Amino acid sequence: MNRTRPAGRHDQRGPAAAAAAALTRARARQHKPHYWFADRLLAVLSGRRPVHWMLGHTVGEAYEQLIHLAPGAPLCPADRLAPVVRHCGEFHPGPGVIEAFARIGWGERVTAMAFRLEQGPDLRWRCAAVELGGSPVAPTDPDPRG
């Protein structure tokens, strides 16, 4: 019996193995503080969770920033597609500090979120600042420069 894969498929593994690999990657990223916080910040800024859900996970101005940003649910798209963290990167400017960015997407739209994490004396990470990118863009949007 000659086995073939679907046209355009380059992965030599079967669909079950590919799904298992994706699940393993998803579980591994939850152990990284910047991904953990990106998911939770997205839940608040998309209106799925209340702001006070982040109260014990913020320090300094971060909670005030969330109070200011969250009421408009800026990451809750009008078409009600659920936004997801597509990628989250990190930079370590010093010990106990992570400056992170996340690409948030829903459908073909993408926007950005940046945040700073600081590790306290108890070794717990807390969000110290959060910023959102401008309006989400779609790849088919015309160039605003004309």
Side-chain angles (χ1 to χ4, degrees):
M1 177 176 194
N2 190 6
R3 294 184 70 193
T4 62
R5 62 182 181 266
R9 183 173 172 167
H10 301 287
D11 189 351
Q12 298 295 320
R13 302 171 298 171
L23 183 58
T24 299
R25 284 190 305 273
R27 285 184 182 149
R29 63 182 234 185
Q30 285 305 310
H31 294 289
K32 298 179 179 180
H34 60 292
Y35 270 104
W36 191 89
F37 273 91
D39 287 336
R40 275 135 188 89
L41 289 168
L42 176 58
V44 169
L45 296 172
S46 65
R48 291 181 294 178
R49 294 286 185 166
V51 176
H52 69 266
W53 191 57
M54 290 295 293
L55 189 56
H57 302 290
T58 58
V59 292
E61 295 295 316
Y63 190 72
E64 294 298 321
Q65 290 169 322
L66 286 174
I67 288 173
H68 176 72
L69 291 169
L75 297 179
C76 183
D79 54 15
R80 292 292 183 203
L81 290 174
V84 296
V85 176
R86 289 190 180 170
H87 176 74
C88 190
E90 63 183 315
F91 172 70
H92 296 265
V97 177
I98 298 175
E99 292 181 351
F101 67 90
R103 285 194 305 262
I104 309 298
W106 56 93
E108 294 296 317
R109 295 185 175 273
V110 179
T111 193
M113 176 173 59
F115 53 99
R116 178 182 174 95
L117 303 177
E118 296 177 355
Q119 196 172 34
D122 59 358
L123 302 181
R124 289 182 53 206
W125 290 98
R126 292 179 179 85
C127 182
V130 61
E131 291 182 17
L132 294 178
S135 300
V137 296
T140 57
D141 286 349
D143 187 350
R145 294 173 284 172

